[in-house]
Amino acid sequence: PISGTPSILGAGKLSTSTGTDKLVAFAGTDAYVYNSGTGNWDAQSRSYTAAQKFETENFLDLLFEVNGLTDVPESYNSSAWSTSTNVTDMPKAKYIRVGNGRIYLFNIALLIGGNYASRVWFCDLPKNDTIAWDFESGTDLAQTASSKVVTSAGSVFKTRGIKSGDKIFITTGSNAGEYTVDTVDSETQITLTETLTNTQSSKSFWVGGNWFDVERNNSDVGMGLGWNFNRLLCFKRHSVYKFQKTQDFATDN
């Protein structure tokens, strides 16, 4: 037992390529790692929101955890917890699953953009054991009338994996709406396929393309992910949907 804690709200196992194995449990506002030497569960000094359910996946020698739409996801490497190692700009999520070399999330929340109970988001394929999430957001988007160019001084579009064809949503100001990325010119500049009408500064936005909606947000919301014969299974309250490996978002070919 984990002494003096509330009920366990989730658990996972980290197994690394170097032979490290760790059992992790989540309870209350903390994580606990089993110490085989003492037989105790060592508290990890986390500060999660209370009463949240946790899900985990083992990927790239890391344990990834999500616990709903409030706390940012974290990764654990057997000695330290991180909110940046392969989880920078990773959407918050209720459900997580690994398959075909990617991490998939379901029932998500974006830092800027809101909650999407029927949306799946997935990472890019790893490069040198590093993954990008094809997501960037901010509150400093600058736009010029009669121009297709937008800039965000606080962004790193290339590092985050933003690509031509991604959607960008300007969420505040007189140019608010959905647009399409034509080119990623630098870490801080994007050219759109559309010309903007008004000059604006310091506006909120988010941009990314690694997502798809499983039907739409309604009472039949995302309730879990599964994997079967190269098919990602998306479970909702009253239905289940499958996506084939041959589709772009679920293949490493």
Side-chain angles (χ1 to χ4, degrees):
I2 300 176
S3 178
T5 66
S7 300
I8 291 175
L9 298 170
K13 179 184 178 183
L14 171 65
S15 296
T16 72
S17 57
T18 58
T20 297
D21 291 296
K22 297 280 187 178
L23 291 176
V24 182
F26 301 89
T29 60
D30 208 351
Y32 299 82
V33 175
Y34 182 68
N35 187 326
S36 59
T38 65
N40 296 324
W41 289 86
D42 297 333
Q44 300 297 292
S45 299
R46 313 315 301 151
S47 57
Y48 304 119
T49 301
Q52 302 292 303
K53 293 182 179 180
F54 291 77
E55 287 206 353
T56 66
E57 279 284 10
N58 195 164
F59 188 57
L60 300 177
D61 282 352
L62 296 169
L63 185 71
F64 291 80
E65 67 82 14
V66 297
N67 70 333
L69 309 182
T70 303
D71 300 329
V72 296
E74 294 184 341
S75 61
Y76 173 62
N77 67 2
S78 82
S79 62
W81 295 81
S82 176
T83 57
S84 59
T85 302
N86 279 335
V87 293
T88 298
D89 274 347
M90 175 179 168
K92 301 171 186 177
K94 290 188 176 183
Y95 307 104
I96 183 171
R97 197 74 173 178
V98 169
N100 279 348
R102 301 180 193 266
I103 300 175
Y104 294 82
L105 309 171
F106 195 21
N107 199 330
I108 66 168
L110 303 180
L111 181 62
I112 292 174
N115 300 348
Y116 298 90
S118 295
R119 181 163 293 179
V120 171
W121 200 289
F122 55 95
C123 71
D124 286 345
L125 290 170
K127 295 180 180 179
N128 299 318
D129 286 343
T130 300
I131 54 178
W133 287 92
D134 190 12
F135 175 78
E136 182 63 290
S137 65
T139 59
D140 63 348
L141 193 70
Q143 308 136 67
T144 302
S146 302
S147 173
K148 298 180 181 180
V149 174
V150 297
T151 60
S152 168
S155 293
V156 282
F157 294 124
K158 289 190 173 183
T159 298
R160 298 290 180 257
I162 304 304
K163 309 171 184 66
S164 298
D166 283 355
K167 296 298 183 181
I168 178 170
F169 295 82
I170 302 174
T171 59
T172 59
S174 55
N175 290 324
E178 176 183 339
Y179 302 88
T180 302
V181 175
D182 186 12
T183 59
V184 181
D185 309 319
S186 69
E187 290 281 28
T188 59
Q189 179 176 300
I190 285 174
T191 298
L192 309 179
T193 59
E194 304 95 334
T195 299
L196 295 169
T197 303
N198 304 294
T199 296
Q200 299 275 277
S201 63
S202 302
K203 301 307 177 185
S204 298
F205 75 96
W206 70 268
V207 57
N210 284 6
W211 56 272
F212 57 90
D213 289 321
V214 183
E215 289 297 333
R216 291 291 184 266
N217 287 332
N218 51 36
S219 61
D220 198 15
V221 301
M223 296 295 291
L225 290 172
W227 201 262
N228 181 261
F229 292 101
N230 292 322
R231 295 177 177 89
L232 180 69
L233 303 180
C234 302
F235 296 92
K236 304 186 80 174
R237 283 177 177 160
H238 309 296
S239 57
V240 61
Y241 297 81
K242 65 181 180 181
F243 292 88
Q244 306 289 345
K245 179 182 176 181
T246 53
Q247 293 180 277
D248 289 342
F249 54 77
T251 181
D252 54 0
N253 295 327

